[in-house]
């Protein structure tokens, strides 16, 4: 099957994807894939699937991960090994002034960073859907539970902490359309 001459410029697409990946921006913008396998910048959601820009090799090298932790996560962030899992411990105070501590690690099984709530202990206080917190302490940060990058995981943990602080005060989780 041949495609029309107005196909996307793959060199321009490569540059766009690489620049987005360097910035850590995985948003699709106007990139779509049509049902017949063409990449387009049409931007119409009703005719094509959105194409994310994240890198194909998600796992960061230990040196890059350490640099991200030092530069983008809270002061005092430190590496810690729990059992056979090595990750990053960090604490911050959210917009409500509530302290939260997390452990974020790269899950090779899931090919993403997962984040566990360390403190405060909220186990059993809320339903999983109500607080987006699983019984084992894993925070649900996205539809796939984790995030592609360490700093993305941290950013969503901050947002989540503010949402769950609203829940702790008797409100509904404010950052989900279906609650």
């Amino acid at each position: 099957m041949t495609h029309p001459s107005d196909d996307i410029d793959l060199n321009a697409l490569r540059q766009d994807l690489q620049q987005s990946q360097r910035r850590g921006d995985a948003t699709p913008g106007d990139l779509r894939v049509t049902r017949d396998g063409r990449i387009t910048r049409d931007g119409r959601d009703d005719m094509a699937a959105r194409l994310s820009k994240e890198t194909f090799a998600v796992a960061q090298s230990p040196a890059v991960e350490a640099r991200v932790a030092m530069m983008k996560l809270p002061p005092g962030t430190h590496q810690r090994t729990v059992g056979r899992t090595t990750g990053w411990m960090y604490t911050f105070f959210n917009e409500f002034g509530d302290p939260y501590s997390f452990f974020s690690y790269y899950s090779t099984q899931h090919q993403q960073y997962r984040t566990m709530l360390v403190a405060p202990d909220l186990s059993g206080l809320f339903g999983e859907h109500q607080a987006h917190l699983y019984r084992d302490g894993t925070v649900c940060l996205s539809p796939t539970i984790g995030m592609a990058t360490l700093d993305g995981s941290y950013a969503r943990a901050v947002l989540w902490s503010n949402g769950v602080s609203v829940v702790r005060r008797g409100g509904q989780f404010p950052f989900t359309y279906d609650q």
Side-chain angles (χ1 to χ4, degrees):
M1 172 187 279
T2 60
H3 294 296
S5 61
D6 64 334
D7 282 342
I8 196 156
D9 177 345
L10 291 178
N11 286 321
L13 177 62
R14 176 180 49 104
Q15 287 179 326
D16 180 22
L17 290 172
Q18 288 177 352
Q19 288 172 356
S20 293
Q21 291 167 3
R22 280 188 206 97
R23 289 191 311 267
D25 176 16
T27 58
D30 61 350
L31 290 174
R32 304 291 190 274
V33 176
T34 64
R35 292 181 70 188
D36 64 348
R38 286 187 33 248
I39 299 171
T40 180
R41 288 191 181 276
D42 184 293
R44 289 182 38 211
D45 281 335
D46 63 331
M47 66 158 282
R50 295 179 70 128
L51 178 63
S52 70
K53 296 180 181 180
E54 66 248 347
T55 183
F56 283 91
V58 173
Q60 296 174 329
S61 72
V64 168
E65 193 176 79
R67 191 168 40 252
V68 167
M70 183 180 73
M71 295 179 70
K72 296 185 177 183
L73 273 60
T77 295
H78 60 280
Q79 194 171 50
R80 183 157 186 197
T81 300
V82 178
R84 294 177 18 187
T85 304
T86 299
W88 299 93
M89 290 281 296
Y90 52 90
T91 299
F92 59 83
F93 290 85
N94 70 6
E95 302 293 327
F96 290 87
D98 297 338
Y100 284 87
S101 296
F102 295 93
F103 177 70
S104 292
Y105 64 96
Y106 186 77
S107 168
T108 54
Q109 176 185 0
H110 301 101
Q111 300 291 299
Q112 60 182 206
Y113 284 88
R114 294 284 176 107
T115 298
M116 309 283 296
L117 177 64
V118 176
D121 181 6
L122 301 179
S123 57
L125 295 180
F126 309 104
E128 288 179 353
H129 186 68
Q130 181 184 17
H132 302 276
L133 180 65
Y134 292 100
R135 281 183 232 134
D136 68 356
T138 300
V139 180
C140 185
L141 300 177
S142 73
T144 61
I145 301 173
M147 299 297 294
T149 63
L150 177 59
D151 55 321
S153 185
Y154 162 65
R156 291 292 290 197
V158 169
L159 181 64
W160 176 87
S161 77
N162 283 283
V164 86
S165 283
V166 170
V167 174
R168 291 172 70 189
R169 287 167 171 78
Q172 297 284 323
F173 194 87
F175 305 120
T176 303
Y177 72 91
D178 64 348
Q179 285 185 298

